[in-house]
Amino acid sequence: MALRKDKTDRKVATSEITDYGVPHVAIIMDGNGRWAKKRGWPRLAGHRKGAEQIKKIVREAPDLGIRYMTIYAFSTENWKRSLIEVLGLMKMFRFMIRREADALAAEGVHLRFIGDRSRLDPALRETMDQIEDRTRGNTRLTLAVAINYGGRDELRRAAAQLAIDHASGKIGADELDDAALAARLDTAGMPDPDLVIRTSGETRISNFLSWQAAYAEYEFTETLWPDFTVEELTEILSRFGNRDRRYGGVKT
């Protein structure tokens, strides 16, 4: 396995992950609330700490060979949480997006959002639209943030659009294939994730990228998201590089 050193003289695994094309890492960032509770702090303090970790991971991701990253920020089920937590999260999303816009643009990050925006506050939607437009031409890293996202909801919306397009004559019956559905998913234009990471010790996928992650590799770590480091991500990528991915086939 090849190793190189980055500008801080920290060893970074490059391995053979590039053999699979442009790598896409998806992360279920779990454990913010538990991290805060262990310290006797409100749950939102954990979310704020988790947001700081996102910045660190995103900054280093391209140097680790990652070109696409999708992070699970708020699910369609998270509306069930307390009103204080939900409102606090929405306020934090808007603040963080605005605050980090310049840095993301300068670092070549293309920021896009996936999920159903119809339930989000209009001011937040406007902020999301603005930074998507501003960073659209960036190519160093595509960062997809899932807000009010659920895999089943995404498939329902894509299937509904496919039915509308078929009924209107935009697409024929012989064109109703996997590619047609994928083109109507929120992640259209992005490669499927190669690797899905979930923090906090939970071992379920929680309605995340149900279609896209059908052939992804999974890593589950006990680390709570606010404690997840670039070094741990590097170790996970090293293990990923040693996996034998056959996509249902058999190598001779």
Side-chain angles (χ1 to χ4, degrees), residues 22 94 213 228 233:
V22 178
R94 188 179 177 196
F228 189 80
L233 175 59

Side-chain angles (χ1 to χ4, degrees), residues 18 22 112 115 121 159 188 195 205-206 230 235:
T18 53
V22 178
R112 59 185 289 185
D121 180 79
L195 172 66
I205 62 174
S206 294
V230 174
E235 293 174 3

Side-chain angles (χ1 to χ4, degrees), residues 110-208:
H110 170 205
L111 185 63
R112 59 185 289 185
F113 298 92
I114 63 174
D116 182 2
R117 303 187 191 190
S118 64
R119 193 172 176 181
L120 302 178
D121 180 79
L124 175 58
R125 295 203 304 265
E126 182 180 0
T127 300
M128 292 161 64
D129 291 341
Q130 288 173 348
I131 195 168
E132 281 184 324
D133 289 340
R134 181 177 177 183
T135 62
R136 197 175 304 279
N138 292 346
T139 58
R140 189 164 181 256
L141 173 72
T142 294
L143 175 65
V145 182
I147 298 180
N148 194 29
Y149 174 87
R152 288 182 174 180
D153 177 71
E154 179 189 32
L155 285 169
R156 177 192 58 77
R157 289 185 284 108
Q161 187 59 55
L162 196 60
I164 291 170
D165 291 344
H166 175 55
S168 65
K170 291 182 179 179
I171 184 170
D174 59 339
E175 299 175 287
L176 300 176
D177 55 14
D178 287 3
L181 181 62
R184 289 160 178 80
L185 295 173
D186 297 342
T187 54
M190 294 176 60
D192 289 340
D194 302 284
L195 172 66
V196 178
I197 300 168
R198 180 165 189 158
T199 59
S200 87
E202 303 292 350
T203 54
R204 57 184 179 273
I205 62 174
S206 294
N207 200 19
F208 185 49

Side-chain angles (χ1 to χ4, degrees), residues 21-238:
V22 178
H24 178 177
V25 176
I27 306 177
I28 302 172
M29 307 176 297
D30 198 15
N32 292 328
R34 275 170 281 171
W35 184 91
K37 184 177 180 180
K38 285 173 61 177
R39 292 160 175 77
W41 297 345
R43 290 177 59 85
L44 283 173
H47 292 301
R48 285 192 288 269
K49 175 63 175 177
E52 294 301 316
Q53 293 306 101
I54 294 172
K55 290 170 52 179
K56 296 175 183 178
I57 297 297
V58 168
R59 186 177 297 117
E60 298 292 338
D63 289 334
L64 294 173
I66 299 169
R67 290 296 174 265
Y68 294 86
M69 179 174 285
T70 301
I71 57 176
Y72 209 2
F74 190 89
S75 77
T76 49
E77 290 74 35
N78 286 156
W79 296 104
K80 300 173 186 177
R81 296 185 178 186
S82 73
L83 182 60
I84 292 176
E85 183 173 355
V86 169
L87 292 178
L89 282 168
M90 294 301 160
K91 183 178 180 180
M92 187 183 74
F93 291 152
R94 188 179 177 196
F95 173 77
M96 290 295 295
I97 293 167
R98 285 182 167 180
R99 191 185 75 174
E100 298 304 321
D102 290 339
L104 290 170
E107 293 177 14
V109 177
H110 170 205
L111 185 63
R112 59 185 289 185
F113 298 92
I114 63 174
D116 182 2
R117 303 187 191 190
S118 64
R119 193 172 176 181
L120 302 178
D121 180 79
L124 175 58
R125 295 203 304 265
E126 182 180 0
T127 300
M128 292 161 64
D129 291 341
Q130 288 173 348
I131 195 168
E132 281 184 324
D133 289 340
R134 181 177 177 183
T135 62
R136 197 175 304 279
N138 292 346
T139 58
R140 189 164 181 256
L141 173 72
T142 294
L143 175 65
V145 182
I147 298 180
N148 194 29
Y149 174 87
R152 288 182 174 180
D153 177 71
E154 179 189 32
L155 285 169
R156 177 192 58 77
R157 289 185 284 108
Q161 187 59 55
L162 196 60
I164 291 170
D165 291 344
H166 175 55
S168 65
K170 291 182 179 179
I171 184 170
D174 59 339
E175 299 175 287
L176 300 176
D177 55 14
D178 287 3
L181 181 62
R184 289 160 178 80
L185 295 173
D186 297 342
T187 54
M190 294 176 60
D192 289 340
D194 302 284
L195 172 66
V196 178
I197 300 168
R198 180 165 189 158
T199 59
S200 87
E202 303 292 350
T203 54
R204 57 184 179 273
I205 62 174
S206 294
N207 200 19
F208 185 49
L209 301 177
S210 306
W211 175 279
Q212 300 90 331
Y215 280 99
E217 299 289 319
Y218 281 82
E219 279 271 354
F220 300 99
T221 173
E222 296 288 335
T223 306
L224 301 178
W225 174 250
D227 292 326
F228 189 80
T229 63
V230 174
E231 288 71 25
E232 184 167 3
L233 175 59
T234 300
E235 293 174 3
I236 290 173
L237 290 175
S238 296

